[in-house]
Amino acid sequence: MYTPQSEAEALEIYRKLVLIRQSQEAIIQEYAKDEMKTPVHLGIGLEGISVGVAHLLPPGTKSFGQLRNHGQYLALTGETDAFFGELYGKVSGTGGGKAGSMHLAAPAQGLLSTSGIVASTIALSVGAGLAAKYRGTEELAVAMFGDAAIEEGEFWESFNFACLHGLRVLFVCEDNDLAIHTFGADRRGFPSIVGVMRGFDCYTFEADGTDVCAVLTAVQQALTQMAQVPKPAFLCCTWFRFLEHVGPYSDFHVGYRPQPPAEVLQAADPIWKYEQFLLAQGVDLERLQAIRAELAQQIAASMTRAKAAAYPTAADLYRGVFA
Amino acid sequence: MIQHLRFPDAVNLALVREMETDPTVFAFGVDVPDHKRTFGSGVGLVEKFGKKRYFGSPLSESAATGVAIGAALCGLRPVHIHARADFMLLAMNQLVNMAATKHYLSDGTVRVPLVVRAIIGRSWGQGAQHSKALHGVLAHFPGLKVVLPSTPQDGYSLLRAAIRDDNPVIVLEHRWLYDVSGPVDDAVVAPLGVCRVARVGRDVTLVGCSWMTVEALQAAELLARVGVEAEVIDVRTAAPLDRATLVASVAKTGRVVIADNDWTYCGLAAEIAAQITEGCFGRLQAAPVRLGFAPVPCPTTRPLEDLFYPCAREIVRAVEQLLGRPPMDLSGEIFNEYERRFKGPF
């Protein structure tokens, strides 16, 4: 089981989790004002996987994700200025306002591409893995995607390519059993995702994604094995999607899935779970509250700056089609 | 240095030079290192540069394109090779949704220096799935550059320019060019986005694209016998299009026949006709004429293929109509001569 090496590290993990949670909650609060004119696929409940993966990635890792990318972005960068800038469509955003929520990127921190077309960036991550092997480095590539991505042919082509070439690519499946409103049993012709991957020349792992320590454990094992003998690693982490597929609201009332009882929801909350872990380790509640307050300030300040920032101009429209 | 090279050897030379001078350049595609080496264009590359830099791909056109994009994002310069342009249709999501948009959506912070090389099928009997060019479709999307050489020189120079370009560039090489030889000056740099005036004339402009430039030049020779001097423009780059050269030529001649290696409907010929009309409407003596494939899927049987593809003969007839001239006697002429050089199978 992965354990943080120090209280400092334990709190750093907490900080990343809370940064994501509070950023998502800030979006939920503001979204109805229609100033963030971009569809948002929020990661409430996904934080354990976003942080569990990002926390152990060595510098130089190339990361790729999909539309539900806020947690991945925030865990890798820790910053909220360009994040909210992009959501508000301003020049201060990660894409100068042109990318929107589904295409956040942070090349300086290795997040090269996220995409609204499910599974598309998985192939790109394999390209990054190929580039590392080409150059003879031990750099990793990471692809994060939901369980529905496995149904795309693109996934199988990419995974096959990575296994064929023995590339150091970590495939992280964020399995919440939902593709928008359709459950896995209505989409898949096989009982176990990891079961199928075991037939490939790769390492396979599973983890409870609501438990960041379980994710850290699995990721550490994956990185260790990939470092010894280069092969792709497939990590399947289960999690619970608290909100609707896209948008800031809860949609249990619609009826495609029942609202779980409160204690089940709590047990699926990676923030609550990790807080219990920290408190059990003897960390002061006040430390946690102080971190929360700091991050609330950071987020509020970033949102203020984003709202005040300029929109791109007509000249910006034509800039950047070609390098 | 100028050598007389066959087209595949010119392409090969470009790859050799690029791979020699830039260690980030590599090439891959389905079956590329086999004994046929993509109709000869890949000869010697595995031997000289190794399997790391020239290798075969599983049949995964979409993911392979994505792999190339990912590698390009990491600073390599991949050349992805398809034996037929038609196979790119399997990769349209990666080409259009991913490669074309990355630079723009990242506000210019990332680049995709990707080259996709694909062969336009034609020999005999290639049929509907092995004969498309797709430049009309690909040029349509902002963020993609599309290049079509029509000579061995351009097979060399345009490919080198494409590899040097920091954007996704698709290079479409016509299969019949693989039997064409010509002078190749390895010092010639061909900028993308510039047409070539292949023949100066004053009576009519013939705009050719890919193999149709070869046909247009044959047509120009025939027309010269009856005193009609045609100016032949080789488009070379479908996107970005060199509007200025095209407009200047038709402003001079007043008449234009646009011969494309594609269907005319919603294609490059339609685009060129629109841009020429916009650019020099007052100088036009007649509406632009477009020639292209018959508006049907490409059939395989020989007599229907002959009707499907226009050649120099159709260009001559179109010019005669434009100029109100009687049809010249073409009964002794050989058309589609390059087809005779093809001996199958692929």
Side-chain angles (χ1 to χ4, degrees):
Chain A
M1 190 67 172
Y2 185 91
T3 39
Q5 300 296 296
S6 62
E7 187 178 82
E9 189 198 348
L11 291 177
E12 192 198 330
I13 292 168
Y14 182 70
R15 174 179 286 273
K16 291 179 193 179
L17 289 167
V18 174
L19 176 64
I20 301 169
R21 175 61 58 89
Q22 290 189 339
S23 297
Q24 306 293 266
E25 285 171 344
I27 293 167
I28 292 167
Q29 269 212 316
E30 293 285 307
Y31 203 70
K33 292 180 185 170
D34 277 349
E35 288 165 11
M36 284 185 258
K37 291 181 164 61
T38 178
V40 290
H41 303 76
L42 298 177
I44 306 258
L46 183 55
E47 301 92 341
I49 303 171
S50 305
V51 175
V53 172
H55 185 69
L56 290 177
L57 297 179
T61 301
K62 303 291 189 278
S63 291
F64 298 82
Q66 301 197 141
L67 50 159
R68 198 177 307 282
N69 57 24
H70 292 191
Q72 184 179 22
Y73 178 91
L74 294 165
L76 285 170
T77 66
E79 80 84 43
T80 42
D81 275 342
F83 175 76
F84 284 107
E86 191 59 36
L87 294 180
Y88 278 95
K90 304 297 184 73
V91 291
S92 57
T94 65
K98 296 173 184 173
S101 176
M102 291 192 282
H103 303 95
L104 300 179
Q109 286 83 22
L111 184 60
L112 292 184
S113 175
T114 61
S115 171
I117 307 287
V118 169
S120 294
T121 51
I122 297 175
L124 273 60
S125 75
V126 175
L130 182 73
K133 184 176 180 183
Y134 187 95
R135 292 190 167 112
T137 73
E138 291 185 2
E139 267 182 15
L140 288 177
V142 177
M144 303 193 76
F145 48 90
D147 52 294
I150 307 260
E151 289 138 43
E152 288 284 350
E154 195 80 350
F155 169 78
W156 298 104
E157 292 187 9
S158 304
F159 197 61
N160 178 58
F161 195 106
C163 293
L164 172 67
H165 288 276
L167 304 177
R168 287 194 178 94
V169 182
L170 175 62
F171 293 82
V172 181
C173 179
E174 303 159 345
D175 181 9
N176 63 11
D177 201 41
L178 279 170
I180 310 184
H181 308 129
T182 308
F183 289 95
D186 293 325
R187 293 182 278 120
R188 280 195 287 273
F190 49 92
S192 161
I193 293 175
V194 173
V196 176
M197 305 314 156
R198 287 202 184 101
F200 283 76
D201 204 355
C202 68
Y203 306 116
T204 57
F205 305 90
E206 291 177 271
D208 174 2
T210 67
D211 182 346
V212 69
C213 293
V215 178
L216 288 162
T217 302
V219 173
Q220 186 178 53
Q221 286 169 353
L223 297 191
T224 303
Q225 295 202 23
M226 280 198 286
Q228 284 164 2
V229 178
K231 283 189 204 193
F234 186 91
L235 167 59
C236 193
C237 297
T238 50
W239 67 287
F240 181 80
R241 192 184 81 202
F242 279 72
L243 301 180
E244 57 190 339
H245 164 72
V246 58
Y249 305 117
S250 175
D251 67 352
F252 295 115
H253 60 280
V254 172
Y256 64 91
R257 56 175 178 164
Q259 176 153 4
E263 57 274 17
V264 172
L265 285 176
Q266 187 176 67
D269 183 343
I271 314 297
W272 179 84
K273 223 174 225 174
Y274 191 63
E275 278 173 350
Q276 304 317 301
F277 167 77
L278 289 177
L279 294 170
Q281 297 282 306
V283 175
D284 270 337
L285 183 61
E286 275 149 24
R287 299 288 302 277
L288 304 187
Q289 287 166 339
I291 290 172
R292 285 182 167 278
E294 257 182 68
L295 292 172
Q297 276 199 326
Q298 174 187 333
I299 289 164
S302 290
M303 286 187 94
T304 302
R305 277 192 284 275
K307 289 186 201 191
Y311 279 106
T313 64
D316 292 325
L317 175 66
Y318 294 101
R319 209 168 34 81
V321 174
F322 288 125
Chain B
M1 181 176 68
I2 302 178
Q3 303 173 74
H4 200 76
L5 293 178
R6 291 174 62 245
F7 185 91
D9 299 325
V11 169
N12 188 268
L13 183 64
L15 288 171
V16 168
R17 287 288 159 78
E18 285 299 319
M19 289 170 78
E20 272 174 350
T21 52
D22 185 346
T24 69
V25 177
F26 71 97
F28 73 115
V30 172
D31 242 2
V32 300
D34 72 2
H35 56 288
K36 297 192 177 183
R37 301 293 170 96
T38 313
F39 318 111
S41 58
V43 166
L45 295 175
V46 185
E47 293 78 1
K48 195 172 162 84
F49 299 104
K51 287 184 196 173
K52 187 184 84 166
R53 300 185 68 193
Y54 198 78
F55 57 95
S57 166
L59 265 73
S60 305
E61 285 81 1
S62 184
T65 307
V67 165
I69 295 167
L73 285 173
C74 293
L76 298 181
R77 289 185 179 272
V79 178
H80 186 213
I81 302 168
H82 297 282
R84 284 292 178 266
D86 315 62
F87 304 153
M88 276 195 286
L89 290 169
L90 292 156
M92 286 301 278
N93 173 56
Q94 287 291 353
L95 288 172
V96 174
N97 281 325
M98 304 294 279
T101 65
K102 287 279 153 263
H103 187 67
Y104 189 77
L105 293 185
S106 69
D107 204 21
T109 52
V110 301
R111 297 179 173 207
V112 185
L114 163 71
V115 171
V116 179
R117 260 186 67 214
I119 317 293
I120 301 169
R122 185 171 177 188
S123 37
W124 31 244
Q126 290 289 303
Q129 297 176 350
H130 279 47
S131 56
K132 286 186 282 294
L134 295 178
H135 51 292
V137 174
L138 295 163
H140 182 66
F141 298 103
L144 294 179
K145 296 192 181 182
V146 184
V147 160
L148 303 103
S150 74
T151 61
Q153 176 69 67
D154 276 352
Y156 168 84
S157 302
L158 288 176
L159 180 54
R160 290 205 71 176
I163 294 172
R164 285 298 102 216
D165 200 296
D166 281 347
N167 300 286
V169 182
I170 295 146
V171 181
L172 298 167
E173 304 167 357
H174 197 279
R175 181 68 177 85
W176 277 5
L177 288 170
Y178 275 68
D179 293 312
V180 171
S181 295
V184 177
D185 184 346
D186 64 0
V188 165
V189 172
L192 305 187
V194 178
C195 293
R196 178 176 67 101
V197 180
R199 186 182 193 279
V200 177
R202 58 165 194 277
D203 297 320
V204 63
T205 299
L206 305 179
V207 179
C209 181
S210 184
W211 182 258
M212 294 311 290
T213 300
V214 177
E215 296 292 337
L217 286 166
Q218 183 184 5
E221 248 182 84
L222 294 166
L223 288 163
R225 293 186 203 165
V226 294
V228 175
E229 291 300 323
E231 180 150 289
V232 178
I233 311 280
D234 182 13
V235 173
R236 287 161 116 203
T237 304
L241 185 67
D242 178 5
R243 176 186 174 120
T245 301
L246 295 163
V247 168
S249 175
V250 183
K252 179 175 73 168
T253 64
R255 291 176 177 84
V256 61
V257 175
I258 306 157
D260 194 8
N261 197 90
D262 200 358
W263 292 281
T264 56
Y265 187 80
C266 289
L268 180 65
E271 181 61 33
I272 291 173
Q275 292 209 24
I276 286 172
T277 306
E278 287 167 355
C280 60
F281 180 73
R283 308 287 284 268
L284 285 174
Q285 300 292 318
V289 171
R290 294 173 292 154
L291 292 178
F293 298 159
V296 302
C298 179
T300 55
T301 183
R302 198 55 232 258
L304 294 186
E305 241 193 8
D306 285 344
L307 296 172
F308 178 80
Y309 289 109
C311 68
R313 174 183 47 227
E314 279 69 50
I315 298 174
V316 168
R317 295 299 180 226
V319 171
E320 286 164 343
Q321 276 214 317
L322 270 176
L323 294 173
R325 295 185 56 89
M328 62 187 283
D329 179 10
L330 296 174
S331 55
E333 299 305 318
I334 297 171
F335 295 101
N336 295 329
E337 189 255 331
Y338 277 87
E339 186 271 341
R340 296 172 188 212
R341 303 187 190 196
F342 179 79
K343 289 294 168 234
F346 192 67

